[in-house]
Amino acid sequence: MTSVRKRKMNRSSVKKNTRRTKDKQRDINIHSNPIIAANWDKSLTLQQNYKRLGLRAKLGHLAGGQEQKVEKLSEIKLKKQQKEAEQVKISDIEQTTNPEEIPEGEARLIRDPETNEVTQVIYGTMKVVRKPEVESTTSVVQQLEEYARKNSEIVRERKQSDRENDWCRSLFEKYGDDYEKMKWDKKLNIYQQSAGDLRRRIMKWKKSTSA
């Protein structure tokens, strides 16, 4: 026999929050761009999709929550060796007095052999060039660039509505080409458009009516 509490729960309009209900939040429908919509993988997160498509979810640096790339032990050792090879060894600069051989941000101290006091400080001026990470352009990015280039060539001129045409006609019939008087009319120019704006709108209205 069902308890009173269970019967109340069954009659309640508040539904239980299950995992299946939460999973529906992952179904993101992309309507803004057809290329991204065609290449979107709903089984991946937003961050993973952007990375796969060659895009950035954030322009700045991520504060956390980024998945670490799984690397083999041989790859980690190879990176460590390359990093050590790029670094300047202390034995290479401990006898030099040329600032161009010392990396920028470091310095060499020359001491007196008898008192061990610092007699000279040589600051390094050698620029350490770090290789930038080259981001490969994916096919999706190339399609987006082509799509943006084609759409940027299309210039759509805004058409005046019937209400705006009637408004321009009433202003022109009352003041003609005197736009300074138009802007002070509190009844017709209720939004306090400037004289230049009124002139542009009426010139456009004249062009449309003459055509």
Side-chain angles (χ1 to χ4, degrees), residues 98-108 122-126:
N98 186 5
E100 294 181 356
E101 296 178 0
I102 303 171
E104 190 178 20
E106 298 183 14
R108 188 199 166 199
I122 302 173
Y123 294 97
T125 58
M126 184 177 71

Side-chain angles (χ1 to χ4, degrees), residues 18 20 58 146 162-163 167 200:
T18 62
R20 187 167 293 177
K58 289 186 178 180
E146 183 68 20
D162 295 337
R163 189 174 180 180
W167 175 62
R200 284 191 296 271

Side-chain angles (χ1 to χ4, degrees), residues 7 22 40 60 63 76 100 128 134 146 155 187 195 211:
R7 284 200 297 269
K22 288 183 179 179
W40 194 267
I76 296 171
E100 294 181 356
V128 180
V134 180
E146 183 68 20
V155 179
K187 291 184 178 180

Side-chain angles (χ1 to χ4, degrees), residues 8-153:
K8 285 184 178 179
M9 286 174 62
N10 292 333
R11 289 198 303 267
S12 176
S13 60
V14 180
K15 295 183 178 180
K16 291 165 65 178
N17 192 11
T18 62
R19 285 185 180 275
R20 187 167 293 177
T21 306
K22 288 183 179 179
D23 288 342
K24 290 180 181 178
Q25 297 174 4
R26 296 169 63 92
D27 296 338
I28 303 172
N29 294 322
I30 310 297
H31 301 291
S32 59
N33 193 288
I35 298 170
I36 294 177
N39 294 277
W40 194 267
D41 189 355
K42 291 186 177 181
S43 63
L44 302 178
T45 63
L46 185 140
Q47 188 74 29
Q48 290 169 345
N49 268 296
Y50 268 66
K51 189 175 181 180
R52 188 176 63 86
L53 298 176
L55 305 172
R56 288 180 68 95
K58 289 186 178 180
L59 295 178
H61 296 287
L62 295 171
Q66 190 177 9
E67 294 181 357
Q68 297 295 327
K69 185 181 177 182
V70 180
E71 294 180 337
K72 296 180 181 178
L73 185 61
S74 58
E75 294 176 352
I76 296 171
K77 287 182 178 179
L78 183 63
K79 282 185 179 180
K80 189 176 180 182
Q81 290 174 1
Q82 290 176 351
K83 191 175 181 181
E84 290 176 353
E86 291 175 358
Q87 290 178 347
V88 179
K89 297 179 181 178
I90 299 174
S91 58
D92 297 336
I93 61 173
E94 61 182 357
Q95 300 298 330
T96 185
T97 56
N98 186 5
E100 294 181 356
E101 296 178 0
I102 303 171
E104 190 178 20
E106 298 183 14
R108 188 199 166 199
L109 305 179
I110 298 176
R111 299 178 181 272
D112 191 344
E114 296 180 358
T115 62
N116 201 28
E117 292 181 357
V118 178
T119 57
Q120 189 180 0
V121 180
I122 302 173
Y123 294 97
T125 58
M126 184 177 71
K127 300 284 184 182
V128 180
V129 181
R130 292 182 175 84
K131 295 180 181 179
E133 295 183 1
V134 180
E135 296 182 358
S136 58
T137 305
T138 61
S139 60
V140 177
V141 175
Q142 293 175 356
Q143 291 176 28
L144 288 170
E145 289 175 350
E146 183 68 20
Y147 180 78
R149 187 183 63 79
K150 287 181 179 179
N151 287 324
S152 63
E153 294 174 355

